[in-house]
């Protein structure tokens, strides 16, 4: 057996559904998970789903527990997309030596519905788990069998089989397609909206001319409001300032003023200060007050000199200016700053609108060139898909022969759509011809549940040769299958496990017999509470479980003998 390219080493589960506390040792190769009905095998798949970013279901939290918790330990290459994404999310991996590293992912779900993901030791959005899961694991369950019936899933399967070089070509095509689509949408909008954009440009020119003619300045409104207030109350301001100056310094009357009174007080104190030293600082304070009042009187004189003699005329000028600004604010406001911003941004917008003709010509050239390139690349993808379809059909049909469907053939049709999509122009249909002479029919109409399980497994086995995945998880892939078909499914799963880690939840001994690692989910019942745990089976314990799967009688001598024979047969065929 070759070494797997990474895989899940161990999964720990606590308080998820009927599982109270369990640890699943996995490792490389083929792991089978069995157990009685209701023991919680489905919870194992649910736990893996949580680690892969699936939607959390609060109903899965064990009754009476505050939260469910799942942790997975992965072996991954030290370098590559997985580790890069982990580090982008703020987490890290532990180096194990060689080219391997250990990645720890965990997820908790509270009974109230809160969910928390931890990637490489750091909290991260659940979407990061989804991204990593797409690179680490492929999960197949009953819902995936249904999904395989869709045209999208069938195209994706064919594209995976076509290999990494084809995937790179699809990515190149998709980039050109999206550019062509976006440019075409912009071109259509410009052409259909030319008249409206021309009106917008004309309105913008008028607005900018009006704003430039007025030339508003930042803060001008507040300054003009202050000037208007002053001019409106000019006479009252003049009378008050003149009266105050007269009281401080009576230049035109003989009456007492503040300066004269202060000067008289100073002289009185200076005359007697030699007789008492305490009066000296008081005399100095009065002298300072005299200087201060004198300065105030001078400032009032200056203020009176600056008052306008013709306030009415200036007030009219100010009010006219305010009216001009108010008109601009009403049209382009709500503030004068917005008006000024309109002038600045309008210039850029006008350049954009005036450049419509040039932009339309440029886009038309680009759209025409990209449309031709899209057609060329899509035609190449179609040719390569048709070639791959033939190979896929032959390989899957060969696999079905070994899966007890010897007369069945798979037909993979590749037809052209009427329009291009992000994946090309091709529509892929995987058809099943159950026996020679029958018409191939779509999987949804031509295959039973058991047949669809085998088709899905055959496709994965074939695709794994060109697009290997670290881990495959199959939930009830053997539904509707028994006998020789089940043995062949087990053998094919063992073959797939030669290049990948394979984890299978099964109820068939014929499948479990091929596993190199057998785990069972054990149900305990103490009367009131049912709980499950997981145990690895070896030797006689495994034979007893196989006998239970075969006959429901783990202690029957004939059942044990049959189980032992089945395990020995599987070991010989692996």
């Amino acid at each position: 057996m070759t070494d797997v390219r990474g895989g899940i080493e161990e999964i720990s589960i606590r308080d998820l559904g009927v599982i109270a506390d369990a640890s699943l040792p996995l490792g490389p190769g083929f792991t089978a998970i069995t157990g009685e009905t209701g023991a919680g095998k489905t919870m194992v798949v649910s736990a893996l789903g949580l680690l892969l970013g699936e939607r959390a279901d609060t109903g899965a939290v064990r009754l009476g527990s505050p939260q469910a918790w799942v942790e997975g330990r992965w072996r991954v290459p030290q370098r590559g997309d997985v580790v890069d994404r982990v580090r982008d999310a703020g987490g890290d991996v532990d180096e194990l030596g060689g080219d391997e590293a250990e990645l720890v992912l965990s997820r908790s779900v509270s009974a109230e519905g809160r969910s928390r993901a931890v990637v490489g030791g750091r909290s991260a959005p659940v979407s990061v788990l989804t991204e990593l899961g797409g690179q680490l694991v492929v999960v197949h369950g009953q819902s995936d069998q249904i999904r395989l019936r869709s045209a999208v899933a069938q195209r994706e399967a064919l594209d995976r089989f076509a290999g990494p070089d084809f995937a790179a070509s699809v990515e190149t095509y998709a980039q050109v397609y999206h550019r062509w689509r976006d440019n075409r949408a912009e071109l259509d909008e410009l052409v259909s909206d030319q008249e409206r954009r021309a009106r917008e440009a004309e309105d913008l020119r008028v607005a900018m001319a009006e704003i430039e003619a007025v030339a508003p300045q930042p803060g001008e409104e507040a300054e003009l409001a202050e000037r208007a207030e002053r001019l409106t109350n000019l006479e009252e301001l003049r009378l008050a300032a003149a009266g105050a100056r007269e009281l401080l310094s009576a230049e035109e009357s003989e009456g007492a003023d503040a300066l004269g009174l202060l000067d008289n007080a100073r002289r009185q104190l200076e005359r007697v200060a030699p007789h008492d030293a305490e009066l000296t600082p008081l005399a100095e304070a009065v002298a300072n007050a005299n200087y201060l009042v004198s300065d105030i009187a001078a400032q009032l004189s200056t203020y009176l000199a600056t008052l306008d003699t013709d306030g009415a005329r200036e007030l009219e000028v100010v009010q006219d200016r305010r009216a001009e600004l108010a008109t601009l604010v009403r049209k382009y406001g709500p503030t004068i700053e917005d008006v000024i911003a309109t002038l600045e941004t309008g210039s850029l917008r006008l350049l954009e609108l005036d450049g419509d003709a040039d932009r339309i010509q440029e886009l038309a050239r680009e759209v025409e060139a990209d449309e031709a390139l899209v057609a060329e690349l899509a035609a190449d993808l179609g040719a390569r898909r048709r070639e791959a379809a033939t190979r896929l059909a032959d390989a899957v049909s060969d696999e079905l022969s070994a899966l007890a469907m010897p007369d069945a053939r798979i037909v993979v049709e590749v037809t052209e759509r009427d329009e291009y999509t992000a994946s090309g122009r091709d529509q892929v249909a995987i058809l099943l011809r159950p026996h020679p002479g029958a018409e191939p029919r779509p999987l949804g109409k031509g295959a039973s549940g058991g047949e669809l399980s085998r088709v899905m497994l055959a496709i994965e086995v074939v695709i794994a040769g060109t697009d290997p995945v670290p881990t495959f998880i199959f939930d009830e892939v053997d539904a509707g299958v028994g006998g020789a078909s089940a043995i062949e499914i087990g053998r094919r799963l063992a073959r797939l496990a030669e290049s990948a880690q394979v984890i299978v939840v099964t109820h068939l001994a014929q499948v479990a017999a091929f596993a190199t690692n057998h785990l069972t989910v054990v149900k305990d019942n103490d009367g009131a509470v049912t709980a499950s745990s997981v145990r690895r089976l070896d030797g006689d314990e495994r034979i007893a479980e196989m006998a239970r799967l075969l006959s429901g009688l783990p202690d029957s001598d004939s059942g044990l003998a049959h189980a032992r024979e089945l395990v020995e047969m599987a070991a010989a065929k692996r």
Side-chain angles (χ1 to χ4, degrees):
M1 179 181 296
T2 58
D3 292 334
V4 296
R5 301 179 308 111
I8 312 171
E9 286 292 299
E10 183 179 63
I11 294 177
S12 300
I13 306 171
R14 187 171 65 240
D15 295 328
L16 183 67
V18 296
I19 298 180
D21 193 357
S23 178
L24 283 72
L26 298 172
F30 178 4
T31 295
I33 301 174
T34 63
E36 296 180 8
T37 300
K41 299 189 299 296
T42 301
M43 285 299 104
V44 173
V45 179
S46 297
L48 285 163
L50 288 175
L51 289 177
L52 301 176
E54 290 183 5
R55 183 177 178 182
D57 180 9
T58 57
V61 178
R62 184 171 165 77
L63 187 64
S65 301
Q67 69 174 14
W69 174 85
V70 184
E71 180 182 88
R73 309 180 80 84
W74 261 264
R75 293 175 79 94
V76 298
Q78 280 188 20
R79 289 169 292 277
D81 294 340
V82 170
V83 173
D84 290 344
R85 185 65 186 95
V86 170
R87 287 172 176 157
D88 286 344
D92 208 347
V93 297
D94 295 325
E95 295 185 4
L96 298 176
D99 192 37
E100 285 191 313
E102 182 180 71
L103 167 63
V104 179
L105 305 177
S106 65
R107 177 97 175 269
S108 62
V109 181
S110 72
E112 292 78 25
R114 293 186 300 275
S115 175
R116 179 171 179 263
V118 177
V119 175
R122 292 289 297 274
S123 293
V126 173
S127 59
V128 178
L129 292 180
T130 305
E131 292 179 44
L132 292 172
Q135 300 181 64
L136 295 171
V137 178
V138 169
V139 180
H140 281 296
Q142 293 296 316
S143 61
D144 295 280
Q145 293 181 23
I146 295 172
R147 193 179 73 86
L148 186 60
R149 300 174 183 179
S150 76
V152 172
Q154 292 175 14
R155 179 190 53 75
E156 289 174 349
L158 176 59
D159 287 359
R160 283 179 56 208
F161 174 74
D165 289 342
F166 182 80
S169 297
V170 172
E171 180 62 27
T172 299
Y173 163 84
Q175 292 174 1
V176 177
Y177 168 81
H178 286 301
R179 185 178 67 211
W180 169 63
R181 185 193 60 183
D182 294 344
N183 285 344
R184 187 178 61 179
E186 183 183 351
L187 177 61
D188 291 344
E189 181 181 356
L190 286 175
V191 171
S192 64
D193 219 16
Q194 270 184 304
E195 185 176 343
R196 184 195 63 78
R197 291 168 70 89
R199 287 198 306 270
E200 181 186 351
E202 184 58 31
D203 291 343
L204 196 52
R205 286 190 184 89
V206 171
M208 292 175 64
E210 188 176 353
I211 296 171
E212 287 173 344
V214 176
Q217 300 299 315
E220 187 177 3
E221 279 185 310
E223 180 185 342
L224 289 172
E226 291 178 4
R227 288 180 63 189
E229 180 72 16
R230 181 187 187 197
L231 292 169
T232 301
N233 299 280
L234 192 60
E235 190 58 29
E236 187 177 353
L237 293 171
R238 182 182 289 109
L239 290 174
R245 186 192 62 186
E246 190 68 19
L247 290 172
L248 295 177
S249 176
E251 296 178 355
E252 299 177 358
S253 68
E254 298 296 332
D257 58 14
L259 285 174
L261 293 172
L262 287 169
D263 190 56
N264 188 27
R266 178 185 58 77
R267 286 196 299 270
Q268 293 279 357
L269 292 174
E270 287 178 347
R271 182 172 58 80
V272 297
H275 303 302
D276 188 348
E278 289 186 10
L279 292 176
T280 299
L282 294 176
E284 292 175 353
V286 172
N288 290 334
N290 194 6
Y291 298 144
L292 180 59
V293 170
S294 177
D295 185 56
I296 293 172
Q299 290 183 44
L300 285 171
S301 296
T302 302
Y303 174 77
L304 285 167
T306 61
L307 288 178
D308 303 282
T309 56
D310 191 2
R313 186 173 63 81
E314 184 178 354
L315 179 60
E316 183 180 355
V317 173
V318 169
Q319 297 293 35
D320 288 345
R321 179 64 177 176
R322 293 182 73 192
E324 288 181 329
L325 296 180
T327 299
L328 291 180
V329 168
R330 186 171 61 253
K331 289 183 176 181
Y332 314 113
T335 67
I336 199 67
E337 283 70 25
D338 292 315
V339 174
I340 296 171
T342 297
L343 188 63
E344 295 173 352
T345 59
S347 299
L348 296 176
R349 178 60 174 163
L350 198 55
L351 284 174
E352 178 184 341
L353 293 172
D354 287 342
D356 275 358
D358 293 339
R359 180 59 177 158
I360 286 174
Q361 290 181 0
E362 178 187 0
L363 281 174
R365 287 193 298 269
E366 292 179 1
V367 167
E368 183 180 2
D370 279 344
E371 185 172 7
L373 185 55
V374 163
E376 178 185 341
L377 294 176
D380 177 65
L381 293 181
R384 293 167 67 180
R385 279 195 178 107
R386 285 187 287 275
E387 185 274 332
T390 301
R391 291 188 290 109
L392 178 63
D394 291 342
V396 173
S397 296
D398 290 344
E399 285 294 323
L400 290 179
S401 296
L403 288 170
M405 295 176 66
D407 297 326
R409 294 288 298 175
I410 285 292
V411 177
V412 183
E413 290 185 349
V414 180
T415 56
E416 280 193 352
R417 300 174 182 268
D418 293 334
E419 58 185 23
Y420 297 99
T421 69
S423 59
R425 199 177 180 181
D426 304 315
Q427 181 165 321
V428 176
I430 299 179
L431 310 175
L432 177 65
R433 187 171 61 198
H435 53 81
E439 283 294 321
R441 302 187 65 190
L443 291 179
K445 297 179 180 179
S448 65
E451 288 172 334
L452 199 57
S453 296
R454 282 177 275 177
V455 170
M456 184 180 68
L457 177 58
I459 288 174
E460 285 299 351
V461 170
V462 170
I463 291 177
T466 57
D467 181 37
V469 174
T471 300
F472 288 94
I473 299 170
F474 294 96
D475 182 17
E476 305 286 356
V477 69
D478 47 25
V481 177
S485 297
I487 289 176
E488 291 305 323
I489 286 179
R491 191 162 67 89
R492 279 304 183 270
L493 288 169
R495 175 181 164 187
L496 185 60
E498 294 176 2
S499 58
Q501 181 185 42
V502 175
I503 301 168
V504 180
V505 177
T506 182
H507 64 280
L508 292 182
Q510 292 92 332
V511 173
F514 286 87
T516 54
N517 181 34
H518 192 156
L519 306 178
T520 184
V521 183
V522 183
K523 181 168 64 175
D524 301 321
N525 195 327
D526 61 4
V529 178
T530 298
S532 295
S533 60
V534 178
R535 195 167 72 241
R536 173 178 271 164
L537 300 178
D538 291 301
D540 291 341
E541 280 190 329
R542 186 185 183 202
I543 297 299
E545 172 65 4
M546 297 289 289
R548 184 193 67 77
L549 292 171
L550 285 167
S551 62
L553 301 173
D555 299 324
S556 164
D557 289 341
S558 60
L560 291 171
H562 187 185
R564 191 170 287 106
E565 180 184 2
L566 185 60
V567 170
E568 291 172 355
M569 177 274 299
K573 286 192 173 185
R574 271 204 302 269

